[in-house]
């Protein structure tokens, strides 16, 4: 009775696949072909030339109902039924999976693309949203004379086993200094190997231990139930869910796909990046080059159609005896014999556990990394025959090197709490668990997983540069001789031996100067001053004038450098200046003879009109001596005050100067001064003497 009812609950309980594979190991850059499980873009620009997986197995189980300490199980007489801790609640979950990666390999097509072929076998199962109190009643060693009630709501179950054969292609799409981007896709052929699912609505079962009178004082239990159940399965499951056998099922095929993209931030790209002869960047593949890596992937798109599978619907409302229930061979017999079948049809497609994954990997220092990985289910938990993954967040610190890696993942799994594990990779061997430390240290661990496998890794080798010129031998046309990248690693030739490479030498056949781009300096104008030093390379000149000819601004035949009057025609004898014509005593007397005839209106500085003729004559004489300077001097007699006479003499001298300047005599050649009555030339006692004293003189300034 107990086994039969427990089996019934497993069928009627909901199931969603909440399982993880290779926890911790997939964060390793040396996981090789396994990397495509998490993100198909991982296989390109990897640390491998090729990686061949022989076999790898990962199993996982988790629940939120039952907890224990692994040490107690190993070291004592542990009773699972009584010694473990139970946490019944309205919705408890039990889930697990197995993931077997068979022969698989990856290889590089070229520097920017890679290909992988892989095989996997996968099994997923779970009891989801079962009432914990109900489960506890059934799983205990109860007295069958004791009543119990199974009170459930809407339920979903999916159990699926399938094989995958797939191909993955990944390509680098951007490699630009600090920024690197790659993407990949996996296409998978799916072969179904067994599938069973059920979903129930408003399921309720009431067991009454002595509810049916058999007569003669004997009774048997009665089972009163209500609700509806849909039960579907592949054709290799005949009568009972317990008969689930893994085998290739005819007509059970499908297709799936994984998509992924990875971005890497490489701030130190200059320290390891080389360029080929075409200027394309090249970074050695044996190195991890990023400081920060971000990965985003979408996995398990697709489904499997079990063409020969069936699905039946039942109304389980009614009451049956315990004896009738026990006489049935399995759950399908129970449903078809004791309850009403309300419908039949083909089995629904088995949907893969579609999920979105975000991965962040940070290089702490050299070979030490910190990884954050999150998984989000994109499958509905209320869809028939649909697998799911849980929401999971894992933080994994790790040490990573070519031949050895070690990691300690800490995960928070929806429904199972925190898990702490450890794993390592040593050459061809990988082994680990995402929960081993939790099992050993916690007395309430609700999850367990383990993985192990063997592979044949062929790592990327460190590129050689024999001549140490920064050009890798594989791209170096002269690997034994140091040369620049631009010349494919070969030294530039210097045909004329002037220490200017031919590529920079404008005269490669003629010895020249570095400063003249390998050409010899020339003297175009033949003045013995090289063009590089010649300010006038097209015109012969003097070295003292930077190769330019001396100018003769005034055209007097005397070069400016020797000409004291570069703007005036002059003579050699006078250093380029014009000869100065001397003002003789006769000329001086003539000037003053004219000046004495200049008349003013009485008591003023106003010149009388009849004096104009004399002033014109004075102007003509002054122009004959353009370099001579003259003083215009005013004098008065002694009649009147001395101060008045002084002012009048100054005003009359200035009046004459102004007339001369206005009529063409340069102002700088003339000065005006008044002496008043201080310089008489005759006595002021008589009229004739006073007339002589009232005068203007124009005298040469020596």
């Amino acid at each position: 009775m107990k086994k039969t009812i427990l089996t019934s609950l497993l069928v009627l309980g909901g199931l969603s696949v909440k399982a993880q594979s290779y926890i911790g190991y997939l964060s390793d850059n040396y996981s090789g072909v396994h990397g495509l499980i998490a993100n198909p873009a991982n296989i390109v620009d990897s640390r491998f030339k090729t990686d061949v997986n022989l076999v790898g197995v990962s199993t996982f189980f988790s629940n939120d109902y039952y907890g224990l300490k692994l040490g107690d199980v190993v070291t004592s007489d542990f009773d699972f039924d009584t010694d473990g801790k139970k946490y019944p609640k309205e919705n408890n979950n039990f889930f697990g999976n197995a993931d077997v990666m068979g022969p698989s390999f990856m290889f590089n097509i070229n520097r920017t693309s890679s290909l992988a072929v892989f095989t996997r076998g996968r099994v997923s199962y779970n009891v989801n949203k079962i009432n914990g109190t109900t489960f506890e009643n059934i799983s205990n060693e109860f007295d069958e004379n004791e009543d119990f009630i199974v009170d459930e709501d809407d339920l979903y179950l999916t159990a699926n086993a399938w094989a995958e054969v797939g191909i993955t292609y990944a390509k680098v799409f951007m490699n630009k200094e600090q920024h690197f981007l790659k993407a990949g896709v996996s296409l998978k052929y799916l072969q179904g190997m067994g599938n069973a699912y059920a979903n129930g609505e408003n399921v309720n079962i009431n067991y009454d231990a002595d509810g049916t009178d058999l007569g003669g004082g004997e009774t048997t239990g009665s089972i009163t139930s209500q609700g509806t159940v849909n039960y579907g399965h592949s054709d290799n499951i005949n009568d009972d869910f317990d008969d689930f056998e893994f085998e290739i099922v005819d007509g059970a095929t499908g297709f799936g796909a994984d998509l992924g993209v990875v971005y890497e931030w490489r701030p130190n790209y200059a320290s390891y990046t080389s360029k080929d002869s075409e200027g394309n960047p090249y970074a050695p593949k044996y190195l991890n080059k990023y400081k920060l890596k971000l990965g985003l992937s979408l996995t398990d798109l697709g489904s499997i159609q079990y063409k020969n599978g069936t699905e039946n619907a039942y109304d389980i409302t009614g009451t049956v005896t315990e004896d009738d229930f026990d006489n049935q061979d399995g759950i399908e017999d129970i449903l078809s014999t004791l309850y009403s079948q309300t419908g039949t049809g083909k089995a629904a497609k088995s949907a893969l556990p579609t999920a979105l994954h975000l991965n962040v990997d940070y290089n702490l220092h050299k070979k030490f990394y910190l990884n954050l990985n999150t998984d989000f289910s994109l499958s509905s938990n209320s869809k028939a025959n649909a697998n799911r993954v849980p929401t999971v967040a894992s933080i994994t610190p790790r040490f990573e090197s070519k031949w050895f890696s070690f990691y300690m993942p800490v995960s928070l799994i929806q429904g199972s709490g925190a898990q702490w594990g450890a794993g390592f990779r040593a050459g061809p061997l990988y082994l680990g668990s995402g929960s081993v430390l939790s099992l050993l240290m916690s007395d309430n661990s609700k999850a367990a997983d383990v993985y192990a496998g063997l592979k044949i890794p062929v790592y990327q080798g460190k590129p050689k540069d024999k001549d140490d010129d920064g050009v890798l031998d594989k791209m170096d046309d002269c690997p034994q001789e140091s040369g620049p990248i631009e010349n494919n690693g070969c030294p530039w030739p210097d045909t004329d031996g002037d220490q200017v490479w031919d590529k920079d030498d404008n005269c490669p056949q003629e010895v020249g100067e570095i400063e003249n781009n390998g050409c010899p300096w020339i003297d175009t104008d033949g003045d013995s001053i090289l063009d590089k030093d010649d300010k006038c390379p097209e015109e012969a000149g003097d070295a003292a004038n930077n190769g330019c000819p001396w100018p003769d601004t005034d055209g007097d035949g005397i070069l400016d450098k020797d000409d004291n009057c570069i703007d005036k025609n002059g003579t050699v004898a006078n250093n380029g200046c014009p000869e100065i014509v001397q003002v003789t005593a006769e000329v001086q007397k003539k000037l003053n003879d004219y000046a004495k005839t200049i008349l003013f209106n009485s008591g003023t500085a106003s010149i009388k009109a009849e004096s104009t003729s004399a002033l014109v004559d004075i102007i003509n004489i002054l122009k004959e001596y353009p370099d001579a300077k003259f003083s215009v001097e005013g004098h008065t007699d002694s009649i009147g005050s001395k101060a008045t006479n002084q002012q009048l003499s100054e005003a009359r001298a200035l009046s004459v100067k102004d007339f001369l300047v206005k009529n063409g005599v340069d102002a700088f050649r003339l000065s005006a001064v008044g002496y008043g009555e201080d310089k008489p030339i005759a006595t002021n006692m008589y009229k004739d003497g006073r007339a002589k004293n009232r005068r203007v003189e124009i005298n040469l300034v020596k």
Side-chain angles (χ1 to χ4, degrees):
M1 174 65 182
K2 170 186 172 183
K3 177 179 181 296
T4 304
I5 295 179
L6 180 59
T7 302
S8 302
L9 287 173
L10 290 175
V11 173
L12 298 177
L15 179 141
S16 66
V17 179
K18 295 185 177 180
Q20 306 303 302
S21 300
Y22 306 97
I23 298 175
Y25 177 52
L26 294 184
S27 67
D28 191 347
N29 286 303
Y30 290 90
S31 61
V33 70
H34 276 80
L36 62 83
I37 294 176
N39 189 324
N42 284 334
I43 66 169
V44 72
D45 193 61
S46 76
R47 309 292 77 81
F48 295 89
K49 291 182 178 178
T50 184
D51 183 51
V52 180
N53 182 72
L54 300 177
V55 63
V57 179
S58 174
T59 63
F60 180 95
F61 174 79
S62 182
N63 78 106
D64 60 1
Y65 171 79
Y66 189 87
L68 54 75
K69 185 175 182 179
L70 182 61
D72 294 341
V73 178
V74 175
T75 61
S76 64
D77 187 13
F78 187 83
D79 189 322
F80 279 88
D81 194 37
T82 60
D83 293 340
K85 295 182 179 181
K86 300 175 182 179
Y87 301 90
K89 56 183 181 179
E90 184 175 346
N91 289 307
N92 283 117
N93 303 283
F94 301 79
F95 45 88
N97 86 324
D99 188 345
V100 179
M101 192 167 193
S104 306
F105 65 93
M106 57 157 284
F107 62 94
N108 300 311
I109 301 175
N110 51 43
R111 278 167 44 184
T112 61
S113 58
S114 298
L115 196 69
V117 177
F118 62 91
T119 61
R120 291 173 74 187
R122 301 170 68 180
V123 178
S124 300
Y125 63 92
N126 172 261
V127 177
N128 185 52
K129 295 170 60 177
I130 186 171
N131 189 302
T133 303
T134 300
F135 187 83
E136 187 171 19
N137 287 336
I138 298 173
S139 61
N140 286 335
E141 291 293 337
F142 62 86
D143 185 347
E144 292 197 353
N145 292 320
E146 185 176 327
D147 297 344
F148 66 87
I149 295 176
V150 175
D151 188 6
E152 298 289 348
D153 198 356
D154 295 348
L155 308 172
Y156 294 88
L157 176 150
T158 302
N160 196 21
W162 73 97
E164 299 178 353
V165 177
I167 185 170
T168 300
Y169 175 75
K171 179 177 177 60
V172 175
F173 284 91
M174 180 176 68
N175 186 4
K176 187 176 181 180
E177 298 182 345
Q178 297 186 41
H179 307 291
F180 179 87
L181 184 69
K182 58 184 179 179
V185 58
S186 294
L187 301 178
K188 304 184 285 189
Y189 174 78
L190 311 175
Q191 172 61 59
M193 301 186 70
N195 173 237
Y197 65 95
N199 60 282
E201 296 181 6
N202 300 318
V203 175
N204 182 280
I205 300 175
N206 188 341
Y207 171 63
D208 185 351
D210 54 0
T212 302
D213 185 359
L214 297 177
E218 294 185 10
T219 60
T220 186
S222 64
I223 302 170
T224 302
S225 60
Q226 66 178 25
T228 60
V229 171
N230 294 319
Y231 174 45
H233 59 82
S234 56
D235 57 353
N236 62 329
I237 300 175
N238 296 320
D239 297 323
D240 198 331
F241 189 52
D242 289 343
D243 293 335
F244 198 141
E245 296 180 0
F246 302 142
E247 61 183 13
I248 294 177
V249 179
D250 292 337
T253 59
F255 295 94
D258 301 334
L259 307 172
V261 62
V262 172
Y263 166 79
E264 295 182 6
W265 178 49
R266 301 174 170 184
N268 299 320
Y269 71 96
S271 64
Y272 49 73
T273 302
S274 301
K275 289 187 177 181
D276 59 21
S277 58
E278 298 177 355
N280 299 314
Y282 177 82
K285 290 188 176 182
Y286 78 99
L287 291 173
N288 284 335
K289 296 167 280 291
Y290 63 86
K291 185 67 177 178
L292 179 67
K293 179 172 71 173
L294 303 175
L296 187 67
S297 61
L298 189 64
T299 60
D300 287 325
L301 294 163
S303 61
I304 301 173
Q305 176 66 66
Y306 286 85
K307 295 182 179 179
N308 298 322
T310 58
E311 177 184 318
N312 296 316
Y314 299 91
D315 182 355
I316 63 170
T317 302
T319 301
V320 298
T321 68
E322 180 181 346
D323 288 345
D324 289 341
F325 198 94
D326 287 342
N327 287 334
Q328 306 308 313
D329 291 334
I331 183 61
E332 193 162 17
D333 280 348
I334 291 173
L335 292 172
S336 61
T337 302
L338 302 181
Y339 300 105
S340 301
Q341 183 173 337
T342 59
T344 187
K346 289 187 176 182
K349 288 184 178 180
S350 178
L352 297 184
T354 306
L356 180 68
H357 310 275
L358 174 64
N359 187 274
V360 181
D361 203 44
Y362 184 74
N363 179 221
L364 296 170
H365 180 67
K366 294 184 178 179
K367 297 180 180 180
F368 293 91
Y369 294 80
L370 185 65
N371 182 270
L372 169 65
N373 184 76
T374 57
D375 306 313
F376 303 92
S377 174
L378 299 182
S379 298
S380 171
N381 62 359
S382 59
K383 180 181 178 181
N385 206 12
N387 296 323
R388 299 182 70 246
V389 299
T391 297
V392 176
S394 299
I395 295 179
T396 305
R398 76 179 186 279
F399 170 83
E400 178 180 295
S401 66
K402 182 176 181 180
W403 289 100
F404 179 79
S405 293
F406 179 76
Y407 15 85
M408 298 183 70
V410 177
S411 304
L412 187 62
I413 302 176
Q414 182 181 2
S416 299
Q419 307 297 322
W420 186 19
F424 71 90
R425 172 188 54 83
L429 173 67
Y430 51 94
L431 177 66
S433 167
S435 58
V436 61
L437 298 178
S438 300
L439 287 166
L440 293 174
M441 300 174 64
S442 172
D443 59 358
N444 188 28
S445 184
K446 299 177 183 177
D449 74 289
V450 65
Y451 61 85
L454 287 172
K455 61 164 54 186
I456 303 174
V458 181
Y459 300 111
Q460 296 279 1
K462 183 177 181 179
K464 295 181 180 180
D465 181 12
K466 294 178 182 177
D467 54 15
D468 198 29
D469 59 1
V471 182
L472 303 178
D473 288 355
K474 64 192 316 182
M475 299 186 295
D476 198 333
D477 290 347
C478 303
Q480 305 294 332
E481 190 175 6
S482 180
I485 293 174
E486 309 91 89
N487 201 36
N488 301 330
C490 292
W492 293 108
D494 179 16
T495 303
D496 54 16
D498 59 3
Q499 298 184 348
V500 181
W501 304 125
D502 287 0
K503 73 180 185 71
D504 302 317
D505 199 332
N506 291 343
C507 305
Q509 305 296 326
E510 188 177 4
V511 176
E513 301 293 335
I514 295 175
E515 297 84 358
N516 199 34
N517 300 320
C519 291
W521 292 110
I522 60 175
D523 178 15
T524 303
D525 55 14
D527 59 3
S528 300
I529 302 170
L530 299 178
D531 286 1
K532 72 183 183 70
D533 302 317
D534 199 332
K535 297 294 184 182
C536 304
E538 304 294 333
E539 188 177 6
D542 194 327
N545 198 33
N546 299 317
C548 293
W550 292 107
D552 179 13
T553 303
D554 54 15
D556 60 2
I558 302 168
L559 300 178
D560 286 359
K561 70 183 183 68
D562 302 318
D563 198 333
N564 290 344
C565 301
I566 61 174
D567 296 319
K568 294 181 181 181
N569 254 305
T571 64
V572 174
N574 203 32
N575 298 320
C577 292
E579 293 289 347
I580 299 175
V581 180
Q582 298 296 324
V583 178
T584 64
E586 291 77 14
V587 173
Q588 177 67 69
K589 180 178 182 302
K590 190 174 183 180
L591 280 172
N592 281 326
D593 286 344
Y594 286 126
K596 290 177 181 180
T597 64
I598 298 172
L599 301 176
F600 299 90
N601 292 314
S602 179
T604 71
S606 175
I607 301 173
K608 290 184 177 183
E610 57 264 32
S611 300
T612 300
S613 176
L615 287 169
V616 170
D617 291 336
I618 292 171
I619 291 170
N620 290 334
I621 294 172
L622 293 180
K623 287 184 177 180
E624 292 178 12
Y625 303 94
D627 296 313
K629 294 183 179 181
F630 295 89
S631 173
V632 181
E633 302 172 357
H635 300 271
T636 67
D637 58 22
S638 62
I639 302 301
S641 68
K642 188 171 184 178
T644 301
N645 290 332
Q646 178 64 36
Q647 291 176 359
L648 180 62
S649 66
E650 291 175 358
R652 287 178 172 177
L654 186 59
S655 180
V656 173
K657 176 186 175 183
D658 290 343
F659 184 93
L660 298 176
V661 169
K662 288 179 182 178
N663 288 276
V665 180
D666 291 336
F668 78 92
R669 297 176 55 203
L670 300 175
S671 61
V673 61
Y675 292 103
E677 58 186 63
D678 292 341
K679 291 186 176 184
I681 58 175
T683 181
N684 286 305
M685 292 179 64
Y686 303 105
K687 182 178 180 180
D688 289 342
R690 288 192 298 272
K692 291 179 181 179
N693 289 335
R694 294 191 298 271
R695 68 192 187 279
V696 172
E697 295 180 2
I698 299 176
N699 294 313
L700 177 68
V701 177
K702 297 181 180 180

